[in-house]
Amino acid sequence: MPYFKTSDGLSLSYTDQGTGKPILCLAGLTRCGLDFRYFEPHANKYRMITLDSRGRGASQYDSNYMNYNVLREAQDVVELLDHLSLAKTAVLGTSRGGLIAMTLAAIANDRLSGVILNDIGPDLPSVGLQRIMEYVGRPPTAKTHESAAAQLKIAMTPAFPNVPSERWLEEAQTFYTQTETGLTLRYDPKLRDAMIEQASAGPLPDLWPVFGMLAGLPIGALRGGQSDILTAATFAKMQAERPDMVCAELADRGHVPFLDETASLRVIHSVMEQII
């Protein structure tokens, strides 16, 4: 797995495979490039790039955990594109990755050729954020991937009905690393400290102007019908602001769709087809 050095000296892990139009896949808050394992078989006509954000996956942890913020992580993306000598790319952003994509529209708009937002928008409801804070930075109680998968199935079935046990095992393997003494997080636990301190600094900024900076770019959006992070009202407002946006709402998904669903793939491929 290749690495590159950021301007502040961290070694970040990425993958770069295939040929065709580039699509950079940015994972959720506590996830890494493995999050796109389900999309990968459907990306054979693209140059698919994934990035483990600082402190996640195989990337180096930051000794200053306050650098776990969307703006710094967006700058890391720009530096990855520079490292790859890539002028432009489409971005498929899941949750936090979508926030980074919108931030790129503000700080490096000319590096974007299109954006697909996976279950994220300009409004972040407190109920969903509170749920996320219940698990961020906390070590798993399960000792094996199989046990963790069983717990995930029970916890997630209300929002993700009819998902087979095999998928929850794959998810557990994505979330956790197996060690001799049990499971460990696949990210820096100090991400929790960063979130707490950033929240105490004041309310979240208004992201609607940033969403507006995606004007002129091909854009798509996915919403899990049971999502507590992208509400139906926010999703509708996004569509009203961007009537050209390619959209899909997945009734049997929560936060976040897996990206191998038929509707998800239709949105991704439709946006990619618009890119010259």
Side-chain angles (χ1 to χ4, degrees):
M1 188 174 291
Y3 294 82
F4 79 101
K5 284 276 189 176
T6 64
S7 57
D8 60 348
L10 257 61
S11 180
L12 303 190
S13 173
Y14 69 96
T15 65
D16 183 1
Q17 59 188 11
T19 59
K21 297 175 184 176
I23 181 168
L24 173 61
C25 302
L26 301 177
L29 176 69
T30 62
R31 306 192 187 197
C32 62
L34 290 173
D35 219 21
F36 298 94
R37 63 198 293 187
Y38 315 125
F39 171 61
E40 183 179 343
H42 306 277
N44 56 351
K45 61 182 179 181
Y46 308 130
R47 178 182 176 184
M48 180 179 168
I49 305 163
T50 69
L51 172 65
D52 289 358
S53 291
R54 56 178 59 211
R56 283 79 151 192
S59 287
Q60 186 177 351
Y61 290 8
D62 197 321
S63 59
N64 178 5
Y65 60 76
M66 288 302 285
N67 283 332
Y68 298 138
N69 66 76
V70 172
L71 185 59
R72 176 64 246 193
E73 290 164 18
Q75 182 60 39
D76 291 341
V77 170
V78 174
E79 293 175 11
L80 171 61
L81 298 183
D82 290 344
H83 172 75
L84 297 174
S85 299
L86 190 57
K88 287 178 178 285
T89 185
V91 173
L92 171 56
T94 291
S95 195
R96 172 80 155 219
L99 296 178
I100 293 171
M102 286 188 278
T103 302
L104 288 169
I107 69 170
N109 192 281
D110 61 332
R111 309 303 292 271
L112 295 172
S113 60
V115 168
I116 303 109
L117 302 172
N118 182 19
D119 209 63
I120 193 69
D123 284 329
L124 300 176
S126 58
V127 171
L129 293 177
Q130 289 169 2
R131 177 183 60 79
I132 289 172
M133 285 305 299
E134 290 174 1
Y135 68 80
V136 170
R138 301 190 187 282
T141 57
K143 298 300 182 184
T144 66
H145 283 133
E146 289 75 15
S147 297
Q151 292 178 358
L152 281 172
K153 184 177 177 64
I154 293 171
M156 302 299 285
T157 290
F160 290 81
N162 305 315
V163 173
S165 298
E166 292 78 11
R167 177 52 57 92
W168 295 122
L169 179 57
E170 290 176 302
E171 287 288 272
Q173 292 167 340
T174 297
F175 297 157
Y176 309 122
T177 300
Q178 183 74 62
T179 71
E180 292 182 358
T181 57
L183 298 178
T184 60
L185 299 173
R186 207 181 283 273
Y187 63 90
D188 187 350
K190 289 188 177 294
L191 182 60
R192 178 180 185 84
D193 299 313
M195 292 187 68
I196 291 172
E197 291 190 31
Q198 289 161 12
S200 67
L204 293 170
D206 182 4
L207 296 178
W208 283 103
V210 182
F211 178 74
M213 292 178 185
L214 294 168
L217 291 171
I219 184 173
L222 298 166
R223 177 179 186 263
Q226 310 300 319
S227 176
D228 59 359
I229 291 294
L230 178 55
T231 66
T234 297
F235 194 51
K237 185 177 177 181
M238 291 165 66
Q239 293 174 72
E241 293 215 357
R242 285 296 302 268
D244 61 322
M245 186 167 65
V246 185
C247 303
E249 182 171 277
L250 288 74
D252 56 350
R253 294 289 184 265
H255 184 74
V256 291
F258 297 121
L259 298 179
D260 61 350
E261 303 92 351
T262 299
S264 295
L265 293 170
R266 177 186 62 80
V267 169
I268 295 169
H269 294 321
S270 295
V271 173
M272 294 301 291
E273 286 171 3
Q274 295 178 41
I275 296 172
I276 299 174

